Amino acid sequence: MATAETKKGAIAGFNFSEKECVWMRARVVATKYCDNAFDCTTCAFDKGMKKKMERESLDAGWNTKMFALASEEQRCRHALTGRAPRNKMCARNYECGDCPFDQMLDDMIQVDHTLFGPPQYLNAHGYLVPRDYYIHRGHGWARVEYGGRVRIGLDDFGNRLVGTVDRFRLPSLGTRFKLSEESFILSREGQEAGVKAPLSGVVTAVNQKLLDYPACAHDDPYSAGWVMLLDPIELKGDLKELYFGVDSVKFVESEAERLLSMITDDPQRAAALGGEPLPDIYGSFKEIGWNKLVKSFI
Amino acid sequence: MKKKEPPRTVHRPPSGYISVVPLGHIKEDVLRVVADSIQGVLRLPVDVTPEVGLPESAFMSARNQYNVLDLIKFLESNHAGPSLKVLGVTAKDIANPILTYVFGTAFMDGKAAVVSTARLQLSVNGELVSREQFLERVVKAAIHEIGHTFNIPHCHKDHCVMRASNSLTELDEKMSYLCDYCELFLAEAVGDALRTRSAQTRQAESG
């Protein structure tokens, strides 16, 4: 499933501006794309390269390597990290300390200093689908972060489906989940829904704000409404089971159509233009029933 | 399913904004939960560094405890590195010259903080608490102290993690999240810290 926009076996991380391995960025190797969520600590390639550099007593800094490149390749260091346009050239012999462009960028860094920078959204029949997030068929989302950790939550469709939740039950720190196992529980008016884990892993952080403010998840499902952080067990394998990018959009669109078919007799003919989905679908169509909605979608 | 257990410890200069430094031996799962919970709640990248021995000069033999103020200064002087903040985690009992024990301490707007797990394993009756409760306590203490290093004062709103907790009961009562006000303080403080760091880097680069 997770094929669109990602190379086979690659992991799309959140807020990683480029996919190039750090060794490729430093031009030590010609072509190498990160396939480990920039978690160099567990990367076999990184370990191998470090050993090789030690063995060959190579210790050139990145700027020394830059001077060895042809002049047309002497790009600004920020072009390499994605903070400046790719064709931005260095005009100051990599003396960044005196470069006004460098200083301007450094002054702007606070704009996206946290991992919680707002995601970019795609639109699936009015439901928000974030870029760089993976979506499980049970509407859990997974976002690969710094250090290879994975943040988990419930997507916009799922939140609108269950509407105003009264209570969250979160797993304990250290709990281990398998892919698609029930991971956290939300309840409304005494009825419960268990959300399936988008991937297998060990819980290493939970968002206790949801215990005091359960509406957080509904109001901001992909940022403040995060539920837990997982230390993944089989990251690469599990991500292949999830939707990503355009596939996520197609999946949520198909779910929206399936939902509409529960409400109206002839959904195929209802080609809507524009509009926003209701914030509380269960509350608006209680005749469908909680169990049916939850079983069908979550 | 076989679990590959890669240590989170980095054996290279940390690139995250916060470093968690084990002072003496601390179990890997405790470090992982502390680091990930800080990353999860504060939304800042966190690294765990290799274990560091406690300085003998900080040991108060008359009290069989370590002076937490000395430990903080030790971290600031020797293990600050490029990170914005450093959190020392120790299993040893810690105190300051006035208080008989502390769960943790930080200098407001400082570079380092220290938390101890020594008194977090027992209930008020002296019985062992569950692993879950123990981990939750460590996480709350860790996030609270890191919050102080970003100059966030004690808070009185709901169960905000920045609420003061002088006893285990009070530590158990609060939760591990920042209230909206403290979140705002944090965002501002992180922005300031990054601007200061980039100015210092520029100054160093220009010689």
Side-chain angles (χ1 to χ4, degrees):
Chain A
M1 289 176 201
T3 51
E5 296 187 10
T6 54
K7 191 167 70 84
K8 190 182 176 188
I11 296 170
F14 178 72
N15 268 358
F16 298 151
S17 52
E18 292 203 356
K19 313 292 183 202
E20 293 174 2
C21 167
V22 287
W23 292 101
M24 181 180 174
R25 291 182 196 183
R27 296 291 189 270
V28 180
V29 296
T31 310
K32 171 66 185 168
Y33 294 97
C34 177
D35 59 0
N36 206 44
F38 287 93
D39 180 8
C40 303
T41 57
T42 62
C43 175
F45 183 79
D46 185 67
K47 284 194 184 86
M49 284 305 296
K50 277 182 188 155
K51 275 188 190 160
K52 177 178 156 64
M53 298 296 275
E54 278 170 19
R55 204 167 47 237
E56 297 176 10
S57 302
L58 296 172
D59 191 27
W62 64 270
N63 44 2
T64 316
K65 292 282 178 192
M66 289 294 181
F67 277 124
L69 300 174
S71 59
E72 68 272 16
E73 286 187 66
Q74 292 185 2
R75 292 192 291 158
C76 169
R77 68 184 180 121
H78 295 293
L80 301 171
T81 60
R83 292 170 66 197
R86 291 185 69 89
N87 58 356
K88 172 82 181 161
M89 307 302 287
C90 175
R92 302 185 77 91
N93 296 329
Y94 293 105
E95 290 173 1
C96 308
D98 295 328
C99 174
F101 182 76
D102 181 89
Q103 293 177 29
M104 180 194 74
L105 278 179
D106 275 346
D107 287 341
M108 287 166 61
I109 198 170
Q110 71 273 15
V111 173
D112 60 352
H113 63 262
T114 71
L115 293 168
F116 243 3
Q120 292 180 318
Y121 293 113
L122 303 165
N123 190 306
H125 288 349
Y127 298 95
L128 295 179
V129 177
R131 278 184 187 277
D132 293 338
Y133 283 50
Y134 291 83
I135 306 282
H136 183 264
R137 61 182 182 278
H139 292 281
W141 58 255
R143 185 177 97 175
V144 183
E145 286 186 1
Y146 184 83
R149 270 33 183 182
V150 184
R151 202 176 287 256
I152 305 293
L154 180 66
D155 73 2
D156 185 38
F157 180 93
N159 270 292
R160 287 175 187 271
L161 191 81
V162 294
T164 320
V165 169
D166 305 323
R167 196 163 149 255
F168 274 86
R169 264 173 39 208
L170 305 177
S172 306
L173 294 170
T175 308
R176 187 174 287 214
F177 291 119
K178 287 180 182 170
L179 173 70
S180 294
E181 212 174 355
E182 188 175 275
S183 60
F184 62 96
I185 293 170
L186 45 87
S187 61
R188 177 176 177 176
E189 298 160 13
Q191 304 166 111
E192 292 192 334
V195 178
K196 297 182 184 83
L199 68 170
S200 44
V202 179
V203 179
T204 52
V206 292
N207 183 8
Q208 291 195 333
K209 199 167 197 172
L210 296 176
L211 302 178
D212 274 355
Y213 303 100
C216 268
H218 186 279
D219 297 343
D220 192 3
Y222 300 113
S223 294
W226 69 281
V227 176
M228 58 184 154
L229 226 65
L230 285 187
D231 179 9
I233 293 172
E234 298 288 342
L235 184 59
K236 280 189 199 174
D238 286 350
L239 290 181
K240 286 178 192 163
E241 301 297 317
L242 307 181
Y243 297 100
F244 186 81
V246 175
D247 285 342
S248 296
V249 174
K250 287 180 186 165
F251 165 67
V252 175
E253 283 179 348
S254 70
E255 291 285 88
E257 287 160 12
R258 199 154 65 87
L259 174 64
L260 192 60
S261 70
M262 286 183 172
I263 296 162
T264 175
D265 294 335
D266 201 2
Q268 301 300 330
R269 298 178 64 189
L273 176 66
E276 188 187 341
L278 293 172
D280 180 7
I281 290 161
Y282 167 69
S284 306
F285 301 97
K286 281 200 169 172
E287 62 277 12
I288 298 176
W290 175 267
N291 287 339
K292 188 175 176 186
L293 272 183
V294 167
K295 263 191 185 170
S296 302
F297 295 100
I298 307 286
Chain B
M1 195 175 293
K2 202 172 71 174
K3 163 68 176 159
K4 175 171 64 99
E5 296 276 9
R8 189 173 176 141
T9 309
V10 291
H11 295 280
R12 57 179 165 75
S15 53
Y17 290 178
I18 296 172
S19 290
V20 173
V21 180
L23 292 169
H25 180 68
I26 296 284
K27 282 187 175 175
E28 182 68 31
D29 65 329
V30 176
L31 292 171
R32 200 166 56 199
V33 164
V34 167
D36 285 7
S37 292
I38 295 172
Q39 179 165 318
V41 175
L42 304 189
R43 289 111 47 183
L44 301 171
V46 180
D47 291 314
V48 178
T49 72
E51 182 181 318
V52 168
L54 287 101
E56 276 310 304
S57 57
F59 187 63
M60 303 183 288
S61 53
R63 293 168 60 168
N64 197 25
Q65 289 173 310
Y66 281 84
N67 184 333
V68 70
L69 304 179
D70 288 346
L71 292 180
I72 293 174
K73 287 175 196 159
F74 167 74
L75 284 178
E76 281 182 337
S77 308
N78 301 291
H79 299 281
S83 302
L84 293 180
K85 307 292 177 188
V86 184
L87 176 73
V89 183
T90 181
K92 301 291 183 187
D93 198 17
I94 57 175
N96 72 27
I98 299 293
L99 297 172
T100 52
Y101 69 89
V102 291
F103 303 135
T105 299
F107 289 157
M108 292 295 285
D109 204 19
K111 180 99 180 179
V114 172
V115 292
S116 164
T117 62
R119 291 176 183 258
L120 305 181
Q121 312 218 37
L122 299 177
S123 70
V124 284
N125 304 322
E127 292 160 354
L128 268 182
V129 296
S130 67
R131 186 77 179 154
E132 173 198 356
Q133 191 174 2
F134 166 68
L135 288 174
E136 278 196 12
R137 286 174 172 179
V138 181
V139 163
K140 288 173 191 173
I143 297 172
H144 182 95
E145 297 309 337
I146 282 291
H148 282 326
T149 65
F150 283 108
N151 212 23
I152 307 178
H154 282 152
C155 174
H156 302 282
K157 188 167 169 24
D158 302 334
H159 297 107
C160 177
V161 75
M162 293 312 295
R163 183 176 273 274
S165 42
N166 293 313
S167 65
L168 287 173
T169 309
E170 287 174 340
L171 188 61
D172 287 336
E173 279 170 0
K174 68 182 183 182
M175 293 192 192
S176 60
Y177 69 84
L178 288 176
C179 72
D180 292 348
Y181 299 108
C182 291
E183 290 243 14
L184 282 175
F185 285 136
L186 176 75
E188 195 175 329
V190 172
D192 288 346
L194 287 170
R195 277 190 292 275
T196 304
R197 185 170 74 168
S198 67
Q200 286 167 347
T201 307
R202 280 201 303 272
Q203 205 171 12
E205 281 176 359
S206 60

